[in-house]
Amino acid sequence: LSKITIKDIAHKAGVSITSVSFAFNNPERLSEATVQRILEAAEELGYIPDPIARSMNTRRTGTLGILVPQPIFEIARNPFLAEFLEGVGEVCDTAGLSLMIVPPLEGSMRRAIVNAAVDGFLTLGLELFKATMVVLHQRGIPFVMVDSDPVEGIPVVNVDDEGGARAAMNYVLQCGHRDIAILGIRSDKAGHYQEYTGTLKRRVNGYLAALADYDLTVDDLHIRLVECPSTLKGGQQAFHQVWKDSPRPTALVAMSDIIAIGAIDAARRSHVQIPRDLSIVGFDDIPMASLITPRLTTVAQPLRRKGKLAAQILVKRLENDPSVPHHMLPTELMVRETVANLGQ
Amino acid sequence: LSKITIKDIAHKAGVSITSVSFAFNNPERLSEATVQRILEAAEELGYIPDPIARSMNTRRTGTLGILVPQPIFEIARNPFLAEFLEGVGEVCDTAGLSLMIVPPLEGSMRRAIVNAAVDGFLTLGLELFKATMVVLHQRGIPFVMVDSDPVEGIPVVNVDDEGGARAAMNYVLQCGHRDIAILGIRSDKAGHYQEYTGTLKRRVNGYLAALADYDLTVDDLHIRLVECPSTLKGGQQAFHQVWKDSPRPTALVAMSDIIAIGAIDAARRSHVQIPRDLSIVGFDDIPMASLITPRLTTVAQPLRRKGKLAAQILVKRLENDPSVPHHMLPTELMVRETVANLGQ
DNA sequence: TTGTACGCGTTATCAA
DNA sequence: TTGATAACGCGTACAA
């Protein structure tokens, strides 16, 4: 029904379509009277320029896309995204950009990338790495990778996942725990942590390194990796799964806070007391982590800063800044109340 | 740099541009050999159709917009959005749609609506009601209003805010509280709750109705309304503000969970024990509400269902379904652990 | 089966 | 100060 075009106005105001366009975009090139007349006609007709047609030759959409590896439905469940969005939002708001969440289309990353009418992409924890990179290049618009393995020529923003993970596991070991379940994030590499890439890989590497310091490995009977979705429910189910195990773990090392919090919740409902009966450490330090009781011991990563930085880089690229920064933001172990020291 | 167009392929494959288009969209109309040749050429050149040009004549973008009244930065802070998105996401995922978050552009709703290349809008708690409605109509694409005062001819999805608010306040009063601070959500109507519209108005009305049952009003010295942003920090600050008041409130009735949780957090840091020293009730029942300790007594609204329902309606409208449903979803008081009974 | 030509709504170029 | 007219890249009647 948005039938009213520049032509209708031109007709009504008795001018050419060029003049109408000028009236909006270059008023100083027209006589004031003409501009006035055109604007009035537009007002009367309730004219709104078609954003798509406009984008057609400005080559700009005014929105940037966040390419996420999971359906919106799923990704919205992880508070991780919200905080990341806060940072991205800061930049968008000041730059006057909108934000498009671009999930795989019918399971295909390619289709998603191809279809999205955006000026640039922020990729979040890319999966199907190689294939996706190719499409991204073909698409020919700037993109910045977040939480991915660094690639020559592409801006990347990462955090020190490995260092953080190592610190977390090391702390748990220091506290005397030797029966440990790692609560991993389920990916397409289900069960094969050796094939992990990006963030997952770096975190697992950190855990392994800390274990190695104690001559421990993950395939030990006492140390195991259990995968679950990075959601509250995922954490709850993971708790029930490992709690039946024997030997029963004395500590859970979760790869995300939301998993850890889910596990804590399930534990509480099962009258398992944290940290007396079971220790837990998370990863991310989402706001909820310090709001629950007991306060979650976890690895803090600067989620907002990460989002803001990545968005800033992308915006610069849109303005043809040729630099290709690679950032590695620090992580920090936040010792709080969910890990018991077995020595005491 | 996305220079590769349909023309380049036509040239390389030695066919017309029509054939190229057909090869992608209507392969059965071409000989298999030709299709093969074209696809190969496209593959080699790394061709990707331009989504904007395509939208230009399909009149479809494959994305729907969520029109929010605040900057992304701000709205991302409220877990409310995440849960709503979950519901919307369910629909998007199955319908193969992307999601665009559309905040005011340079403070202007109008500009935001005008610029967004989307197939339809979901409006969330519309502000500047009348003016915005006009632009939305002019834009000529379908939209569904969520959390707004119902309008003839426009689909609306609301929840029973008034009933929920009334139940919450009534419960607090039943528990014997008479010194109460309402923690309101700060809007552009700062301080003038009489001018509230939409959700805010309905909630305040609910509170007032419950108070009226006890012959109480909000301008009483003992009952007051304090406004703050609907964020964790907003709730923290609100706590400090009212805690200095005299008479000091024995109960806080917050218009959102995130405010309530912020207040609880601030209270805990000030060694004020909930609910012994201070009772608190929230609104929304976000997941965090039942995760914190003590578990938050609050009013549950079906956030996900709301998002899903609204999105479903919008998608139907995109398919030219002429029906204009008005929905009012139920709310429910969740009695948990943050309100003390003064009578006991 | 394939190609020509036009439409989509705007902005940009150039001439009048 | 204005107005034809050509892009922009793709879809699609219609003709060949």
Side-chain angles (χ1 to χ4, degrees), chain B:
Chain B
L1 305 180
S2 175
K3 301 251 188 191
I4 304 112
T5 82
I6 207 171
K7 266 186 209 158
D8 301 311
I9 302 178
H11 184 77
K12 179 166 181 115
V15 297
S16 76
I17 56 166
T18 309
S19 300
V20 178
S21 184
F22 279 163
F24 285 98
N25 309 320
N26 262 338
E28 66 278 5
R29 290 186 57 174
L30 258 44
S31 77
E32 216 167 289
T34 315
V35 171
Q36 204 47 249
R37 195 151 36 93
I38 295 177
L39 257 33
E40 269 169 30
E43 177 69 47
E44 259 180 75
L45 262 40
Y47 167 72
I48 289 202
D50 182 326
I52 298 171
R54 161 179 283 163
S55 296
M56 189 82 185
N57 37 5
T58 60
R59 314 308 290 160
R60 276 294 167 98
T61 63
T63 105
L64 76 223
I66 300 198
L67 200 63
V68 294
Q70 293 146 29
I72 299 176
F73 163 70
E74 210 169 314
I75 199 132
R77 289 205 164 165
N78 195 340
F80 177 100
L81 181 70
E83 239 195 301
F84 183 78
L85 280 188
E86 266 188 58
V88 177
E90 279 187 67
V91 179
C92 286
D93 293 331
T94 65
L97 265 22
S98 289
L99 209 54
M100 185 162 151
I101 300 180
V102 187
L105 208 51
E106 300 158 43
S108 156
M109 273 294 200
R110 168 169 229 287
R111 267 201 281 258
I113 296 170
V114 162
N115 270 296
V118 298
D119 294 334
F121 282 113
L122 244 39
T123 74
L124 206 45
L126 224 51
E127 287 182 10
L128 273 42
F129 200 70
K130 280 184 310 185
T132 307
M133 290 285 296
V134 170
V135 184
L136 241 16
H137 268 119
Q138 290 180 342
R139 178 65 200 275
I141 59 179
F143 64 99
V144 175
M145 303 198 305
V146 178
D147 285 344
S148 281
D149 293 322
V151 170
E152 189 67 32
I154 309 292
V156 180
V157 177
N158 276 325
V159 300
D160 182 16
D161 291 296
E162 179 161 351
R166 184 169 187 161
M169 180 62 83
N170 182 62
Y171 175 66
V172 168
L173 291 165
Q174 247 177 20
C175 288
H177 297 274
R178 290 300 179 275
D179 285 283
I180 300 171
I182 299 173
L183 269 33
I185 295 173
R186 178 167 299 156
S187 69
D188 52 344
K189 312 283 193 308
H192 303 94
Y193 69 85
Q194 301 86 349
E195 297 168 16
Y196 281 1
T197 57
T199 297
L200 259 40
K201 176 166 127 197
R202 292 193 298 271
R203 292 192 187 172
V204 166
N205 282 352
Y207 294 145
L208 294 179
L211 287 168
D213 288 342
Y214 284 74
D215 283 320
L216 262 22
T217 95
V218 80
D219 292 319
D220 189 308
L221 187 67
H222 298 268
I223 317 281
R224 56 257 191 219
L225 173 63
V226 177
E227 293 176 332
C228 64
S230 190
T231 61
L232 214 50
K233 189 182 283 181
Q236 290 164 341
Q237 290 169 341
F239 165 80
H240 291 298
Q241 184 180 338
V242 301
W243 197 244
K244 290 185 309 219
D245 269 9
S246 125
R248 177 177 278 177
T250 63
L252 266 31
V253 176
M255 283 179 69
S256 79
D257 278 358
I258 195 70
I259 290 180
I261 291 170
I264 289 175
D265 187 55
R268 183 172 52 180
R269 289 169 198 265
S270 303
H271 305 290
V272 173
Q273 213 176 307
I274 312 283
R276 195 197 60 189
D277 306 328
L278 180 67
S279 292
I280 301 189
V281 50
F283 207 116
D284 289 342
D285 196 27
I286 59 178
M288 215 193 295
S290 48
L291 254 22
I292 60 168
T293 311
R295 292 156 62 235
L296 181 65
T297 292
T298 188
V299 178
Q301 65 158 313
L303 267 172
R304 251 181 57 193
R305 209 175 125 205
K306 195 161 76 171
K308 182 169 181 177
L309 185 57
Q312 282 172 329
I313 295 172
L314 183 54
V315 167
K316 271 193 196 157
R317 293 231 109 195
L318 290 177
E319 293 160 353
N320 295 316
D321 180 328
S323 64
V324 184
H326 278 209
H327 286 279
M328 166 80 99
L329 271 25
T331 52
E332 185 188 358
L333 178 65
M334 311 296 287
V335 174
R336 295 204 268 249
E337 306 164 355
T338 53
V339 176
N341 191 328
L342 296 188
Q344 298 179 337

Side-chain angles (χ1 to χ4, degrees), chain A residues 227-242:
Chain A
E227 293 176 330
C228 63
S230 190
T231 61
L232 214 50
K233 190 182 282 181
Q236 290 164 342
Q237 291 169 341
F239 165 80
H240 290 300
Q241 185 180 337
V242 300

Side-chain angles (χ1 to χ4, degrees), chain A residues 16 63 65 89 119 134 179 195 221 228 250 261 267 289 304 306 321 325:
Chain A
S16 76
T63 104
D119 294 333
V134 170
D179 285 282
E195 299 169 17
L221 188 67
C228 63
T250 63
I261 291 170
R304 248 179 62 191
K306 194 161 78 169
D321 179 328

Side-chain angles (χ1 to χ4, degrees), chain A residues 157-335:
Chain A
V157 178
N158 275 324
V159 300
D160 183 15
D161 291 296
E162 179 160 351
R166 184 169 186 160
M169 181 61 83
N170 182 60
Y171 175 66
V172 168
L173 291 165
Q174 250 179 18
C175 288
H177 297 275
R178 291 298 179 273
D179 285 282
I180 301 171
I182 299 175
L183 269 33
I185 295 172
R186 176 167 301 157
S187 68
D188 52 345
K189 314 282 192 308
H192 303 96
Y193 69 86
Q194 299 87 346
E195 299 169 17
Y196 281 2
T197 58
T199 297
L200 259 40
K201 175 166 128 198
R202 293 195 296 272
R203 292 192 187 173
V204 166
N205 282 351
Y207 294 145
L208 294 180
L211 287 168
D213 289 343
Y214 284 74
D215 284 320
L216 263 23
T217 93
V218 81
D219 292 318
D220 188 308
L221 188 67
H222 298 266
I223 318 280
R224 56 258 192 217
L225 173 63
V226 177
E227 293 176 330
C228 63
S230 190
T231 61
L232 214 50
K233 190 182 282 181
Q236 290 164 342
Q237 291 169 341
F239 165 80
H240 290 300
Q241 185 180 337
V242 300
W243 197 244
K244 289 185 306 220
D245 268 9
S246 127
R248 181 177 273 177
T250 63
L252 266 32
V253 176
M255 284 181 69
S256 79
D257 278 359
I258 195 71
I259 290 179
I261 291 170
I264 289 176
D265 187 56
R268 182 172 54 181
R269 288 168 198 264
S270 302
H271 305 289
V272 173
Q273 213 174 306
I274 313 283
R276 196 197 60 190
D277 307 328
L278 180 65
S279 293
I280 302 188
V281 50
F283 207 117
D284 289 341
D285 196 26
I286 59 177
M288 214 192 299
S290 49
L291 253 23
I292 59 167
T293 308
R295 292 158 61 237
L296 180 65
T297 292
T298 189
V299 178
Q301 66 158 312
L303 268 173
R304 248 179 62 191
R305 211 176 123 207
K306 194 161 78 169
K308 183 170 180 175
L309 185 57
Q312 282 172 330
I313 295 172
L314 183 54
V315 168
K316 271 192 196 158
R317 295 231 108 196
L318 290 178
E319 293 159 353
N320 294 318
D321 179 328
S323 65
V324 183
H326 278 207
H327 287 278
M328 167 81 100
L329 271 25
T331 51
E332 184 187 358
L333 178 65
M334 310 297 285
V335 173

Side-chain angles (χ1 to χ4, degrees), chain A residues 6 21 25 47 49-50 53 57:
Chain A
I6 207 172
S21 184
N25 307 321
Y47 167 73
D50 182 326
N57 39 6

